């Protein structure tokens, strides 16, 4: 079976490179930890929604999901304790939210357990699985970066917290793989649906991830390219409607403008020289990316 792993940001920056930068700056480090906290907390709500949608169907899955929620709630609790002890914000993270973007891109049409329970299970489990993989990628890169960073009491405490979470996230990935494998084994048609869903949700997750990271100029155009890539993994008849529904917001992207502005302000206020040296080249790279994005969009990864 296809194993789909998260792609690097714009095929260039990997989680390790990004995290190595993040752990050097306490303010950005705290914002990143708060984004983890927010994601963990939010996944409790999303998994609870899933149980409610199942409404008693597949009791075995409901039992697994209730354990899953307990894990995510514990992760949110550990991160909240950590952030409060650090004396930093546990407010809703500013700007673009990876989860909101992921949910915006999710196709709601297949999400009806009453229509076809197996289709619903396949798409729900494939969507959960791909975000858990991204979590593992980030947490292991974060631990790696913290081992290289200066061993302050705070850094050690952050590393110990993430080290408690990572094995459970890896368990969630294995759990999702087992369920998807079981569903795929039911028939050749099921196998095909599972393969299709894995590709589709990997493309959706990649688009959500990049839009959360992408604050450089030309981001809107790359988001359109990502949206097209998402539709390339859909049956033909679903593509047009999906694009038409999401294109206006993808182009206007008010949240994206806010993220860009806040990031610029933060760096400018702290260190005008750093702004010129780091942030301005980021914009210039954005323009270069814009020129190279004129080439055709790849259909698959
Ligand atoms: Fe978690
Ligand atoms: Fe998880």
């Amino acid at each position: 079976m296809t194993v789909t792993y998260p792609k690097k940001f714009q095929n260039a920056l990997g989680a390790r490179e990004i995290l190595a930068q993040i752990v050097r700056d306490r303010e950005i480090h705290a914002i990143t930890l708060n984004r983890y906290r927010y994601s963990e907390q939010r996944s409790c709500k999303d998994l609870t929604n899933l149980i409610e949608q199942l409404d008693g169907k597949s009791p075995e899955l409901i039992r697994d999901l209730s354990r899953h929620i307990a894990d995510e709630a514990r992760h949110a609790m550990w991160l909240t304790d950590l952030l409060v002890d650090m004396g930093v914000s546990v407010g809703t993270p500013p700007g673009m939210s990876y989860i909101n973007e992921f949910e915006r891109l999710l196709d709601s049409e297949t999400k009806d357990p009453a229509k076809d329970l197996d289709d619903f299970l396949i798409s729900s489990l494939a969507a959960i699985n791909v975000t858990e993989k991204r979590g593992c990628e980030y947490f292991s890169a974060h631990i790696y970066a913290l081992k290289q960073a200066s061993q302050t009491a705070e850094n050690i405490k952050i590393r110990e917290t993430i080290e408690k979470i990572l094995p459970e996230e890896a368990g969630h990935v294995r759990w999702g793989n087992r369920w998807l494998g079981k569903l795929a084994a039911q028939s050749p048609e099921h196998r095909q649906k599972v393969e299709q869903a894995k590709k589709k949700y990997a493309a959706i997750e990649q688009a959500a991830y990049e839009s959360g990271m992408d604050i450089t100029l030309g981001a809107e155009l790359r988001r359109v390219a990502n949206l097209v890539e998402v539709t390339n993994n859909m049956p033909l008849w679903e593509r047009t409607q999906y694009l038409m529904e999401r294109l206006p917001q993808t182009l206007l992207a008010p949240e994206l403008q806010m993220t860009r502005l806040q990031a610029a302000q933060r760096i400018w206020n702290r260190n005008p020289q750093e702004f010129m040296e780091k942030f301005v080249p980021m914009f210039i790279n954005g323009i270069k990316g814009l020129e190279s994005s004129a080439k055709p969009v790849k259909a698959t990864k």
Side-chain angles (χ1 to χ4, degrees), residues 183-292:
L183 284 158
Q186 284 183 23
S187 72
E189 197 197 346
H190 276 78
R191 183 164 296 275
Q192 205 198 349
K193 280 182 179 173
V194 168
E195 292 297 323
Q196 181 81 30
K198 279 183 175 181
K199 282 189 197 148
K200 175 172 146 186
Y201 289 103
I204 288 176
E205 193 277 341
Q206 185 66 29
Y209 169 69
E210 287 200 4
S211 73
M213 300 294 298
D214 195 349
I215 52 166
T216 56
L217 204 64
E220 290 87 345
L221 286 188
R222 279 193 295 276
R223 292 177 88 215
V224 173
N226 283 332
L227 199 60
V228 171
E229 180 147 1
V230 168
T231 60
N232 282 341
N233 285 296
M234 287 182 164
L236 269 174
W237 61 90
E238 285 180 11
R239 289 182 190 180
T240 319
Q241 196 194 346
Y242 186 88
L243 262 179
M244 291 320 289
E245 278 172 11
R246 285 157 186 86
L247 205 51
Q249 211 195 325
T250 303
L251 278 171
L252 294 172
E255 282 185 340
L256 186 71
Q257 305 299 347
M258 278 307 290
T259 310
R260 188 182 286 166
L261 211 65
Q262 282 165 344
Q265 267 173 352
R266 209 159 46 226
I267 298 176
W268 175 258
N269 288 338
R270 207 176 45 209
N271 188 341
Q273 193 189 340
E274 193 187 6
F275 181 83
M276 292 310 289
E277 285 170 0
K278 283 192 187 158
F279 205 69
V280 172
M282 253 167 81
F283 271 91
I284 294 166
N285 287 338
I287 296 167
K288 282 185 195 145
L290 195 78
E291 284 160 0
S292 63

Side-chain angles (χ1 to χ4, degrees), residues 31 49 58 71 102 115 121-122 130 176 185 231-233 264:
I31 291 172
N49 267 342
S58 190
D71 290 350
F102 185 66
K115 261 199 235 162
L121 295 183
I122 290 170
V130 74
T231 60
N232 282 341
N233 285 296

Side-chain angles (χ1 to χ4, degrees), residues 42-226:
R42 179 62 175 269
S43 63
C44 297
K45 196 154 90 175
D46 293 343
L47 293 166
T48 302
N49 267 342
L50 187 53
I51 288 181
E52 287 179 8
Q53 277 178 294
L54 282 167
D55 194 12
K57 293 177 198 81
S58 190
E60 202 192 333
L61 180 61
I62 291 174
R63 187 182 58 193
D64 283 1
L65 287 171
S66 69
R67 282 166 176 69
H68 200 144
I69 293 167
D71 290 350
E72 305 300 7
R74 196 166 51 245
H75 302 165
M77 178 186 79
W78 287 333
L79 287 162
T80 308
D81 284 350
L82 174 75
L83 288 160
V84 172
D85 287 350
M86 285 169 69
V88 293
S89 170
V90 285
T92 302
M96 209 72 191
S97 150
Y98 163 77
I99 298 182
N100 286 342
E101 184 65 5
F102 185 66
E103 284 182 356
R104 188 178 74 82
L105 293 167
L106 283 184
D107 182 15
S108 55
E109 224 174 286
T110 47
K111 294 244 162 206
D112 186 358
K115 261 199 235 162
D116 187 325
L117 182 62
D118 284 356
D119 275 6
F120 176 77
L121 295 183
I122 290 170
S123 51
S124 304
L125 288 161
I128 294 171
N129 199 237
V130 74
T131 57
E132 299 279 1
K133 279 180 186 162
R134 180 71 74 189
C136 284
E137 185 202 15
Y138 252 68
F139 289 149
S140 56
H142 204 144
I143 292 168
Y144 178 84
L146 282 168
K147 282 181 179 166
Q148 316 300 311
S150 59
Q151 298 302 299
T152 59
E154 188 172 84
N155 275 349
I156 292 169
K157 204 169 166 193
I158 295 169
R159 178 170 53 76
E160 285 171 351
T161 305
I162 300 172
E163 278 173 343
K164 280 196 284 185
I165 301 175
L166 177 61
E168 298 197 348
E169 298 299 3
H172 295 160
V173 173
R174 285 195 299 272
W175 168 81
N177 289 342
R178 273 199 306 276
W179 264 95
L180 288 167
K182 223 159 64 174
L183 284 158
Q186 284 183 23
S187 72
E189 197 197 346
H190 276 78
R191 183 164 296 275
Q192 205 198 349
K193 280 182 179 173
V194 168
E195 292 297 323
Q196 181 81 30
K198 279 183 175 181
K199 282 189 197 148
K200 175 172 146 186
Y201 289 103
I204 288 176
E205 193 277 341
Q206 185 66 29
Y209 169 69
E210 287 200 4
S211 73
M213 300 294 298
D214 195 349
I215 52 166
T216 56
L217 204 64
E220 290 87 345
L221 286 188
R222 279 193 295 276
R223 292 177 88 215
V224 173
N226 283 332

Side-chain angles (χ1 to χ4, degrees), residues 8 12-22 24 141 144:
K8 285 181 171 186
L13 276 183
R16 274 197 181 185
E17 290 98 320
I18 293 171
L19 263 310
Q21 295 298 322
I22 286 172
R24 279 191 205 133
Y144 178 84

